[in-house]
Amino acid sequence: ELAKARTEIQDTLRAEEERFLATLENGERRLEELLSKGAALTGEQAFQLYETFGFPFELTQEICRKRGVAVDAESFRTAQEGAAETARAGWKGSGETSQAAYEKVAAELPGFKAEFHGYQKISIKTQVARLLKDGHAVQTLAPGDEGEVVLRSTPFYPEGGGQVGDQGRLCDDVDPEKTIAEVKDTQRPHPNLIVHSVRALKTLRADMPLWAKVDPEKRRTTAYHHTATHLLNEALRRVLGAGVRQAGSLVAPDRLRFDFTHPKPMTQEELAKVEAIVNEAIQSDIPVHPEERPAADIAALGATTLLGENYGAKPRFLLIGKTGWKDPQDRFSLELCGGTHVSRTGEIQSFKIVKETSVAAGIRRIEAVAGPALEQLERQQEDKDRQALKDGLQRYIELTSLIQTLSGKPYKDVIQKFPDAASAPITDVRRALGGLRELEKILKSEIGGLKEAKLAHEAKMGQVLLEVGGVKLSVQKFESAEAQTLRTISDQVKREMGTGVVFLGATAENRLSFVVSVTQDLVEKGVDASAIARQVAAIQKGKAGGRKDFAQGGGPDADWETVVNAVKGSLRG
């Protein structure tokens, strides 16, 4: 296994090294910030570095020792133990009590092992073995109660192998169409028990006979996704190499999720190849053959397995191949699996990869849909695109109206060129949506230019020129101007002045933003824009910063005359 995975191991180790070096860099940066603020490092601060940044405590101690800075190791251990205790408390509350209840139920039913008939049937007549409510055995569940039911035999598949638990109904033994309880989930919390989470509609009693019926549509669409997962696993191995291993999965009625070992993101070409291989296997309508066989056949037939999984003496194999078990080597794929599947790949109909992302170091994730779930996804996307076109057309009207307001001229009407969002073919809608997005960028750029031109005109009209200590000072206040616009105007005014200081402010939502710009000749004489900005910000109780030739700041709105006097005072000083 090590020899086969040599390249993958090297790539993963290299990625781990790079991630650890990045961790050290981030941690050292944060440690520098903490050390600049005090003569000692608290244990809580050291633990924050360890927990949040993954920075080793030993390395923190070493760096601090070189700097002659003390680290409180005792309070670090206290913080670490406190975090561990919080985690333990959260774990205890999540399942310890219910697990004890299942152990007790199993002990009270010596020799009992729930029979699973779900491979052959989705509806059987059975009997209640135990009822539980809030983790305790009870004799009845009243209408409206939520609890758990252990059946002596069941067609409900318990969650496992990535496949979600079945849902469905428990029905009256005399009238199978009369629902007694809704089954919301099925689990196997103990090797001998299959537990059904239910909401009772009628009274449920211990030992009562009833019909157990799996939701056929959810079972069917889950089977589509489970068999598609096997096709995907094999397709990934063919495209990325035999070193790819499954690292987790989720199989549900509406989607599948597949985690696998791979050191880097898949390319679009690789994803397209994988998707094509899966769809080709679906179109080929290959028979699917499940069969329990001796464990020795795992190695003999080269079946794909999960690393470290114990499959028992006679595991269930799932062979996807045209000739079946007559020639198991003539196959698309062979895996060990206890889940429910289609009988032929053609039943899946279609397969689509939705996205590929990173889960952890060296682990990638593919999310995909198959069968009717793909049709539903496409309908949802179509609805989304039609709504996007409607929203885009509304924004177009708003933007062109704003252009007319700013320019004082009517805007040419091009809205009639766009198709009707509700009734046009979706291909036309999507084509129009792309064009509308480009048009929106153009309109926004035009609005930006008009706003700047309008503000520049206002600047000329409302500009106040002063002379303070032999220095020209231009001041101007605007309503609702962005910082970048103020900067553009300040550069223009500065060029026109030749020499001087420009101070521009803008108010919006009870805040005053401002810029200070100084010509280079005055910078050389000691005039500092950042110093002026800080003095103004102090009056506002705000913030400011920048260079000697340009600075900006802002804060709560302040009296304009007081602000201008502060600028004048800075120039006099």
PDB file of all heavy atoms in Angstrom, residues 393-418:
ATOM      1  N   LEU A 393     -33.657  43.397 -14.390  1.00  0.00           N
ATOM      2  CA  LEU A 393     -34.423  44.395 -15.141  1.00  0.00           C
ATOM      3  C   LEU A 393     -34.908  45.513 -14.224  1.00  0.00           C
ATOM      4  O   LEU A 393     -34.938  46.689 -14.616  1.00  0.00           O
ATOM      5  CB  LEU A 393     -35.610  43.724 -15.839  1.00  0.00           C
ATOM      6  CG  LEU A 393     -35.244  42.787 -16.996  1.00  0.00           C
ATOM      7  CD1 LEU A 393     -36.463  42.021 -17.478  1.00  0.00           C
ATOM      8  CD2 LEU A 393     -34.612  43.560 -18.150  1.00  0.00           C
ATOM      9  N   GLN A 394     -35.272  45.138 -12.982  1.00  0.00           N
ATOM     10  CA  GLN A 394     -35.685  46.163 -12.019  1.00  0.00           C
ATOM     11  C   GLN A 394     -34.515  47.081 -11.678  1.00  0.00           C
ATOM     12  O   GLN A 394     -34.668  48.307 -11.598  1.00  0.00           O
ATOM     13  CB  GLN A 394     -36.218  45.492 -10.745  1.00  0.00           C
ATOM     14  CG  GLN A 394     -36.712  46.456  -9.671  1.00  0.00           C
ATOM     15  CD  GLN A 394     -37.843  47.348 -10.153  1.00  0.00           C
ATOM     16  OE1 GLN A 394     -38.728  46.898 -10.878  1.00  0.00           O
ATOM     17  NE2 GLN A 394     -37.817  48.613  -9.778  1.00  0.00           N
ATOM     18  N   ARG A 395     -33.318  46.479 -11.495  1.00  0.00           N
ATOM     19  CA  ARG A 395     -32.127  47.297 -11.221  1.00  0.00           C
ATOM     20  C   ARG A 395     -31.814  48.197 -12.413  1.00  0.00           C
ATOM     21  O   ARG A 395     -31.381  49.335 -12.238  1.00  0.00           O
ATOM     22  CB  ARG A 395     -30.927  46.406 -10.903  1.00  0.00           C
ATOM     23  CG  ARG A 395     -30.902  45.869  -9.492  1.00  0.00           C
ATOM     24  CD  ARG A 395     -29.540  45.317  -9.115  1.00  0.00           C
ATOM     25  NE  ARG A 395     -29.070  44.305 -10.038  1.00  0.00           N
ATOM     26  CZ  ARG A 395     -29.408  43.015  -9.973  1.00  0.00           C
ATOM     27  NH1 ARG A 395     -30.224  42.605  -9.025  1.00  0.00           N
ATOM     28  NH2 ARG A 395     -28.916  42.153 -10.838  1.00  0.00           N
ATOM     29  N   TYR A 396     -32.020  47.668 -13.637  1.00  0.00           N
ATOM     30  CA  TYR A 396     -31.787  48.461 -14.845  1.00  0.00           C
ATOM     31  C   TYR A 396     -32.652  49.716 -14.831  1.00  0.00           C
ATOM     32  O   TYR A 396     -32.179  50.828 -15.121  1.00  0.00           O
ATOM     33  CB  TYR A 396     -32.094  47.612 -16.085  1.00  0.00           C
ATOM     34  CG  TYR A 396     -32.156  48.403 -17.366  1.00  0.00           C
ATOM     35  CD1 TYR A 396     -31.002  48.701 -18.077  1.00  0.00           C
ATOM     36  CD2 TYR A 396     -33.373  48.878 -17.853  1.00  0.00           C
ATOM     37  CE1 TYR A 396     -31.055  49.441 -19.248  1.00  0.00           C
ATOM     38  CE2 TYR A 396     -33.434  49.617 -19.027  1.00  0.00           C
ATOM     39  CZ  TYR A 396     -32.273  49.897 -19.712  1.00  0.00           C
ATOM     40  OH  TYR A 396     -32.331  50.645 -20.860  1.00  0.00           O
ATOM     41  N   ILE A 397     -33.924  49.557 -14.490  1.00  0.00           N
ATOM     42  CA  ILE A 397     -34.848  50.705 -14.427  1.00  0.00           C
ATOM     43  C   ILE A 397     -34.366  51.713 -13.384  1.00  0.00           C
ATOM     44  O   ILE A 397     -34.350  52.926 -13.623  1.00  0.00           O
ATOM     45  CB  ILE A 397     -36.281  50.221 -14.101  1.00  0.00           C
ATOM     46  CG1 ILE A 397     -36.834  49.406 -15.276  1.00  0.00           C
ATOM     47  CG2 ILE A 397     -37.196  51.399 -13.805  1.00  0.00           C
ATOM     48  CD1 ILE A 397     -38.116  48.660 -14.962  1.00  0.00           C
ATOM     49  N   GLU A 398     -33.942  51.194 -12.216  1.00  0.00           N
ATOM     50  CA  GLU A 398     -33.474  52.088 -11.147  1.00  0.00           C
ATOM     51  C   GLU A 398     -32.208  52.830 -11.555  1.00  0.00           C
ATOM     52  O   GLU A 398     -32.071  54.033 -11.300  1.00  0.00           O
ATOM     53  CB  GLU A 398     -33.225  51.274  -9.874  1.00  0.00           C
ATOM     54  CG  GLU A 398     -34.503  50.707  -9.254  1.00  0.00           C
ATOM     55  CD  GLU A 398     -34.230  49.662  -8.188  1.00  0.00           C
ATOM     56  OE1 GLU A 398     -33.029  49.373  -7.943  1.00  0.00           O
ATOM     57  OE2 GLU A 398     -35.186  49.134  -7.608  1.00  0.00           O
ATOM     58  N   LEU A 399     -31.282  52.118 -12.201  1.00  0.00           N
ATOM     59  CA  LEU A 399     -30.015  52.737 -12.596  1.00  0.00           C
ATOM     60  C   LEU A 399     -30.222  53.778 -13.694  1.00  0.00           C
ATOM     61  O   LEU A 399     -29.624  54.869 -13.646  1.00  0.00           O
ATOM     62  CB  LEU A 399     -29.028  51.665 -13.068  1.00  0.00           C
ATOM     63  CG  LEU A 399     -28.509  50.704 -11.981  1.00  0.00           C
ATOM     64  CD1 LEU A 399     -27.694  49.578 -12.611  1.00  0.00           C
ATOM     65  CD2 LEU A 399     -27.666  51.447 -10.953  1.00  0.00           C
ATOM     66  N   THR A 400     -31.049  53.449 -14.704  1.00  0.00           N
ATOM     67  CA  THR A 400     -31.275  54.410 -15.785  1.00  0.00           C
ATOM     68  C   THR A 400     -32.049  55.630 -15.280  1.00  0.00           C
ATOM     69  O   THR A 400     -31.838  56.746 -15.759  1.00  0.00           O
ATOM     70  CB  THR A 400     -32.029  53.753 -16.954  1.00  0.00           C
ATOM     71  OG1 THR A 400     -33.217  53.115 -16.469  1.00  0.00           O
ATOM     72  CG2 THR A 400     -31.152  52.731 -17.653  1.00  0.00           C
ATOM     73  N   SER A 401     -32.929  55.435 -14.303  1.00  0.00           N
ATOM     74  CA  SER A 401     -33.638  56.568 -13.701  1.00  0.00           C
ATOM     75  C   SER A 401     -32.664  57.485 -12.982  1.00  0.00           C
ATOM     76  O   SER A 401     -32.772  58.721 -13.058  1.00  0.00           O
ATOM     77  CB  SER A 401     -34.702  56.070 -12.712  1.00  0.00           C
ATOM     78  OG  SER A 401     -35.702  55.330 -13.372  1.00  0.00           O
ATOM     79  N   LEU A 402     -31.685  56.873 -12.305  1.00  0.00           N
ATOM     80  CA  LEU A 402     -30.677  57.679 -11.598  1.00  0.00           C
ATOM     81  C   LEU A 402     -29.812  58.440 -12.594  1.00  0.00           C
ATOM     82  O   LEU A 402     -29.466  59.619 -12.365  1.00  0.00           O
ATOM     83  CB  LEU A 402     -29.813  56.755 -10.729  1.00  0.00           C
ATOM     84  CG  LEU A 402     -28.718  57.426  -9.891  1.00  0.00           C
ATOM     85  CD1 LEU A 402     -29.291  58.528  -8.992  1.00  0.00           C
ATOM     86  CD2 LEU A 402     -27.975  56.383  -9.049  1.00  0.00           C
ATOM     87  N   ILE A 403     -29.480  57.798 -13.723  1.00  0.00           N
ATOM     88  CA  ILE A 403     -28.697  58.485 -14.761  1.00  0.00           C
ATOM     89  C   ILE A 403     -29.466  59.692 -15.280  1.00  0.00           C
ATOM     90  O   ILE A 403     -28.898  60.778 -15.486  1.00  0.00           O
ATOM     91  CB  ILE A 403     -28.336  57.505 -15.910  1.00  0.00           C
ATOM     92  CG1 ILE A 403     -27.292  56.497 -15.430  1.00  0.00           C
ATOM     93  CG2 ILE A 403     -27.824  58.258 -17.132  1.00  0.00           C
ATOM     94  CD1 ILE A 403     -26.973  55.404 -16.422  1.00  0.00           C
ATOM     95  N   GLN A 404     -30.767  59.533 -15.520  1.00  0.00           N
ATOM     96  CA  GLN A 404     -31.599  60.650 -15.991  1.00  0.00           C
ATOM     97  C   GLN A 404     -31.623  61.785 -14.964  1.00  0.00           C
ATOM     98  O   GLN A 404     -31.556  62.961 -15.328  1.00  0.00           O
ATOM     99  CB  GLN A 404     -33.026  60.151 -16.260  1.00  0.00           C
ATOM    100  CG  GLN A 404     -33.113  59.263 -17.486  1.00  0.00           C
ATOM    101  CD  GLN A 404     -34.527  58.769 -17.756  1.00  0.00           C
ATOM    102  OE1 GLN A 404     -34.841  58.361 -18.847  1.00  0.00           O
ATOM    103  NE2 GLN A 404     -35.392  58.801 -16.764  1.00  0.00           N
ATOM    104  N   THR A 405     -31.685  61.427 -13.685  1.00  0.00           N
ATOM    105  CA  THR A 405     -31.699  62.440 -12.632  1.00  0.00           C
ATOM    106  C   THR A 405     -30.384  63.201 -12.591  1.00  0.00           C
ATOM    107  O   THR A 405     -30.355  64.434 -12.472  1.00  0.00           O
ATOM    108  CB  THR A 405     -31.960  61.778 -11.259  1.00  0.00           C
ATOM    109  OG1 THR A 405     -33.208  61.099 -11.303  1.00  0.00           O
ATOM    110  CG2 THR A 405     -31.984  62.821 -10.150  1.00  0.00           C
ATOM    111  N   LEU A 406     -29.269  62.460 -12.715  1.00  0.00           N
ATOM    112  CA  LEU A 406     -27.953  63.093 -12.627  1.00  0.00           C
ATOM    113  C   LEU A 406     -27.616  63.911 -13.868  1.00  0.00           C
ATOM    114  O   LEU A 406     -26.986  64.965 -13.787  1.00  0.00           O
ATOM    115  CB  LEU A 406     -26.878  62.020 -12.413  1.00  0.00           C
ATOM    116  CG  LEU A 406     -26.875  61.311 -11.046  1.00  0.00           C
ATOM    117  CD1 LEU A 406     -25.935  60.113 -11.060  1.00  0.00           C
ATOM    118  CD2 LEU A 406     -26.465  62.281  -9.935  1.00  0.00           C
ATOM    119  N   SER A 407     -28.048  63.400 -15.041  1.00  0.00           N
ATOM    120  CA  SER A 407     -27.679  64.078 -16.293  1.00  0.00           C
ATOM    121  C   SER A 407     -28.714  65.094 -16.753  1.00  0.00           C
ATOM    122  O   SER A 407     -28.402  65.996 -17.540  1.00  0.00           O
ATOM    123  CB  SER A 407     -27.473  63.039 -17.402  1.00  0.00           C
ATOM    124  OG  SER A 407     -28.703  62.403 -17.709  1.00  0.00           O
ATOM    125  N   GLY A 408     -29.954  64.908 -16.281  1.00  0.00           N
ATOM    126  CA  GLY A 408     -31.036  65.793 -16.734  1.00  0.00           C
ATOM    127  C   GLY A 408     -31.490  65.482 -18.139  1.00  0.00           C
ATOM    128  O   GLY A 408     -32.192  66.276 -18.767  1.00  0.00           O
ATOM    129  N   LYS A 409     -31.128  64.313 -18.673  1.00  0.00           N
ATOM    130  CA  LYS A 409     -31.506  63.926 -20.040  1.00  0.00           C
ATOM    131  C   LYS A 409     -32.156  62.543 -20.020  1.00  0.00           C
ATOM    132  O   LYS A 409     -31.812  61.703 -19.198  1.00  0.00           O
ATOM    133  CB  LYS A 409     -30.263  63.876 -20.949  1.00  0.00           C
ATOM    134  CG  LYS A 409     -29.522  65.200 -21.053  1.00  0.00           C
ATOM    135  CD  LYS A 409     -28.243  65.006 -21.864  1.00  0.00           C
ATOM    136  CE  LYS A 409     -27.437  66.299 -21.920  1.00  0.00           C
ATOM    137  NZ  LYS A 409     -26.153  66.103 -22.634  1.00  0.00           N
ATOM    138  N   PRO A 410     -33.077  62.276 -20.940  1.00  0.00           N
ATOM    139  CA  PRO A 410     -33.697  60.949 -21.008  1.00  0.00           C
ATOM    140  C   PRO A 410     -32.667  59.901 -21.448  1.00  0.00           C
ATOM    141  O   PRO A 410     -31.786  60.190 -22.259  1.00  0.00           O
ATOM    142  CB  PRO A 410     -34.811  61.115 -22.046  1.00  0.00           C
ATOM    143  CG  PRO A 410     -34.393  62.292 -22.862  1.00  0.00           C
ATOM    144  CD  PRO A 410     -33.636  63.210 -21.949  1.00  0.00           C
ATOM    145  N   TYR A 411     -32.789  58.691 -20.905  1.00  0.00           N
ATOM    146  CA  TYR A 411     -31.864  57.609 -21.262  1.00  0.00           C
ATOM    147  C   TYR A 411     -32.495  56.751 -22.345  1.00  0.00           C
ATOM    148  O   TYR A 411     -33.690  56.462 -22.281  1.00  0.00           O
ATOM    149  CB  TYR A 411     -31.549  56.756 -20.024  1.00  0.00           C
ATOM    150  CG  TYR A 411     -30.375  55.822 -20.235  1.00  0.00           C
ATOM    151  CD1 TYR A 411     -29.075  56.287 -20.054  1.00  0.00           C
ATOM    152  CD2 TYR A 411     -30.572  54.510 -20.630  1.00  0.00           C
ATOM    153  CE1 TYR A 411     -27.990  55.450 -20.250  1.00  0.00           C
ATOM    154  CE2 TYR A 411     -29.486  53.664 -20.840  1.00  0.00           C
ATOM    155  CZ  TYR A 411     -28.197  54.140 -20.649  1.00  0.00           C
ATOM    156  OH  TYR A 411     -27.122  53.319 -20.859  1.00  0.00           O
ATOM    157  N   LYS A 412     -31.691  56.377 -23.326  1.00  0.00           N
ATOM    158  CA  LYS A 412     -32.229  55.572 -24.434  1.00  0.00           C
ATOM    159  C   LYS A 412     -32.787  54.249 -23.890  1.00  0.00           C
ATOM    160  O   LYS A 412     -32.187  53.598 -23.037  1.00  0.00           O
ATOM    161  CB  LYS A 412     -31.134  55.312 -25.469  1.00  0.00           C
ATOM    162  CG  LYS A 412     -29.900  54.590 -24.965  1.00  0.00           C
ATOM    163  CD  LYS A 412     -28.941  54.388 -26.114  1.00  0.00           C
ATOM    164  CE  LYS A 412     -27.711  53.606 -25.692  1.00  0.00           C
ATOM    165  NZ  LYS A 412     -26.763  54.361 -24.909  1.00  0.00           N
ATOM    166  N   ASP A 413     -33.947  53.869 -24.376  1.00  0.00           N
ATOM    167  CA  ASP A 413     -34.651  52.702 -23.865  1.00  0.00           C
ATOM    168  C   ASP A 413     -34.197  51.444 -24.591  1.00  0.00           C
ATOM    169  O   ASP A 413     -34.456  51.282 -25.771  1.00  0.00           O
ATOM    170  CB  ASP A 413     -36.164  52.882 -24.038  1.00  0.00           C
ATOM    171  CG  ASP A 413     -36.943  51.731 -23.435  1.00  0.00           C
ATOM    172  OD1 ASP A 413     -36.389  51.016 -22.586  1.00  0.00           O
ATOM    173  OD2 ASP A 413     -38.104  51.563 -23.817  1.00  0.00           O
ATOM    174  N   VAL A 414     -33.489  50.558 -23.856  1.00  0.00           N
ATOM    175  CA  VAL A 414     -33.071  49.288 -24.462  1.00  0.00           C
ATOM    176  C   VAL A 414     -33.716  48.099 -23.752  1.00  0.00           C
ATOM    177  O   VAL A 414     -33.432  46.963 -24.064  1.00  0.00           O
ATOM    178  CB  VAL A 414     -31.523  49.129 -24.409  1.00  0.00           C
ATOM    179  CG1 VAL A 414     -30.855  50.205 -25.211  1.00  0.00           C
ATOM    180  CG2 VAL A 414     -31.019  49.126 -22.969  1.00  0.00           C
ATOM    181  N   ILE A 415     -34.589  48.355 -22.804  1.00  0.00           N
ATOM    182  CA  ILE A 415     -35.196  47.275 -22.027  1.00  0.00           C
ATOM    183  C   ILE A 415     -36.028  46.345 -22.896  1.00  0.00           C
ATOM    184  O   ILE A 415     -36.169  45.161 -22.612  1.00  0.00           O
ATOM    185  CB  ILE A 415     -36.045  47.858 -20.868  1.00  0.00           C
ATOM    186  CG1 ILE A 415     -36.270  46.768 -19.822  1.00  0.00           C
ATOM    187  CG2 ILE A 415     -37.349  48.438 -21.361  1.00  0.00           C
ATOM    188  CD1 ILE A 415     -36.794  47.275 -18.512  1.00  0.00           C
ATOM    189  N   GLN A 416     -36.550  46.863 -24.001  1.00  0.00           N
ATOM    190  CA  GLN A 416     -37.384  46.039 -24.874  1.00  0.00           C
ATOM    191  C   GLN A 416     -36.582  44.950 -25.571  1.00  0.00           C
ATOM    192  O   GLN A 416     -37.141  43.992 -26.107  1.00  0.00           O
ATOM    193  CB  GLN A 416     -38.059  46.921 -25.916  1.00  0.00           C
ATOM    194  CG  GLN A 416     -37.060  47.689 -26.789  1.00  0.00           C
ATOM    195  CD  GLN A 416     -37.739  48.756 -27.639  1.00  0.00           C
ATOM    196  OE1 GLN A 416     -38.899  49.038 -27.439  1.00  0.00           O
ATOM    197  NE2 GLN A 416     -37.010  49.335 -28.559  1.00  0.00           N
ATOM    198  N   LYS A 417     -35.264  45.061 -25.539  1.00  0.00           N
ATOM    199  CA  LYS A 417     -34.421  44.047 -26.168  1.00  0.00           C
ATOM    200  C   LYS A 417     -34.350  42.764 -25.333  1.00  0.00           C
ATOM    201  O   LYS A 417     -33.878  41.746 -25.820  1.00  0.00           O
ATOM    202  CB  LYS A 417     -32.999  44.597 -26.369  1.00  0.00           C
ATOM    203  CG  LYS A 417     -32.920  45.763 -27.346  1.00  0.00           C
ATOM    204  CD  LYS A 417     -31.487  46.241 -27.474  1.00  0.00           C
ATOM    205  CE  LYS A 417     -31.382  47.426 -28.438  1.00  0.00           C
ATOM    206  NZ  LYS A 417     -29.994  47.933 -28.525  1.00  0.00           N
ATOM    207  N   PHE A 418     -34.770  42.811 -24.070  1.00  0.00           N
ATOM    208  CA  PHE A 418     -34.652  41.652 -23.190  1.00  0.00           C
ATOM    209  C   PHE A 418     -35.913  40.796 -23.232  1.00  0.00           C
ATOM    210  O   PHE A 418     -37.024  41.323 -23.311  1.00  0.00           O
ATOM    211  CB  PHE A 418     -34.362  42.104 -21.756  1.00  0.00           C
ATOM    212  CG  PHE A 418     -32.996  42.701 -21.602  1.00  0.00           C
ATOM    213  CD1 PHE A 418     -32.817  44.075 -21.611  1.00  0.00           C
ATOM    214  CD2 PHE A 418     -31.884  41.894 -21.457  1.00  0.00           C
ATOM    215  CE1 PHE A 418     -31.556  44.638 -21.482  1.00  0.00           C
ATOM    216  CE2 PHE A 418     -30.621  42.440 -21.326  1.00  0.00           C
ATOM    217  CZ  PHE A 418     -30.452  43.803 -21.341  1.00  0.00           C
TER     218      PHE A 418
END
